[in-house]
Amino acid sequence: MKYYELITLKTVIFGAGKMADGIQAFLYAPEAKGTLYGAWFSDVGSLNEVYLLRGFNSLDEMFEERDRIRLSSDPFNGGEDLLHYSCDSYKALDFMPEIEPGEFGKVYEIRTYQPTLNGLAPTIEKWREAVPKRVEYSPLTIAMYSIDGPTRFTQIWPYESANARAEARGKSVADGVWPPAGGPAFLRPEMESTMAIPMPFSPLK
């Protein structure tokens, strides 16, 4: 896939459970475009949110699907349980392999940075050098950068548990593998990290 989309749904309290069947039906409707890779609900961080990761072969395909959402009388079949949504467009870092659905962890960390104004290209190169060693501690689902709105750099990491995340990150830091050497110098202090749980229909679990 050349392009990715990360959708955030803001729901009422316990909305993820209420909306799960409707979201699945909307994403797999005959007229839907793109490939669903992941569907998660937030557990730590911003609560009452659902995150959907989809891939597209072209921008035309992505924007055709975006139109389907915007013109829908009931986006994601959310009804009154869906308060609002946002769609962010991304490209994967050029060294990242294709996402393969499967069971990789019970908890996923969705981590977003804002690079400095001249920091995106250096950030990509720092990650290119460091990721091969870092994924020996825990897998990386995707690392990608935004192609609309403010420049953002987003990574999605699966872990068996919150404790496993702490262990992998702690050991990679202690071993000098992570963060990438010099990488933080190109990042702004605005950073977000959300721990999310796969929904029953998510291809990534």
Side-chain angles (χ1 to χ4, degrees), residues 42-148:
S42 57
D43 185 58
V44 177
S46 298
L47 300 181
N48 303 308
E49 292 187 345
V50 170
Y51 310 106
L52 306 171
L53 177 67
R54 296 195 290 179
F56 298 87
N57 290 312
S58 69
L59 287 176
D60 286 344
E61 184 183 48
M62 178 187 287
F63 291 130
E64 186 177 345
E65 176 65 4
R66 195 75 55 85
D67 274 348
R68 184 177 79 94
I69 298 171
R70 294 194 183 281
L71 297 174
S72 172
S73 61
D74 187 14
F76 305 99
N77 298 319
E80 295 181 355
D81 294 322
L82 178 61
L83 302 179
H84 61 79
Y85 68 87
S86 61
C87 303
D88 295 315
S89 308
Y90 286 88
K91 287 187 71 173
L93 304 194
D94 59 10
F95 62 86
M96 288 298 303
E98 290 282 339
I99 297 175
E100 295 187 10
E103 297 186 10
F104 299 99
K106 296 181 176 64
V107 176
Y108 281 70
E109 181 182 22
I110 302 173
R111 195 172 183 91
T112 297
Y113 303 143
Q114 291 188 24
T116 58
L117 292 179
N118 64 342
L120 181 58
T123 297
I124 292 172
E125 292 310 308
K126 296 294 185 182
W127 258 248
R128 187 193 308 278
E129 296 170 4
V131 162
K133 289 293 294 182
R134 173 61 179 83
V135 295
E136 295 178 8
Y137 297 79
S138 63
L140 173 60
T141 297
I142 189 69
M144 54 191 183
Y145 63 92
S146 63
I147 56 174
D148 56 10

Side-chain angles (χ1 to χ4, degrees), residues 6-10 40-52 106-113 154-159 162 165 169 191-198:
L6 187 60
I7 299 175
T8 301
L9 309 180
K10 187 68 176 180
W40 304 273
F41 64 88
S42 57
D43 185 58
V44 177
S46 298
L47 300 181
N48 303 308
E49 292 187 345
V50 170
Y51 310 106
L52 306 171
K106 296 181 176 64
V107 176
Y108 281 70
E109 181 182 22
I110 302 173
R111 195 172 183 91
T112 297
Y113 303 143
T154 295
Q155 309 152 78
I156 301 178
W157 302 83
Y159 297 96
R165 171 192 175 276
R169 289 185 63 84
M191 300 177 177
E192 299 177 1
S193 179
T194 298
M195 302 296 286
I197 308 299

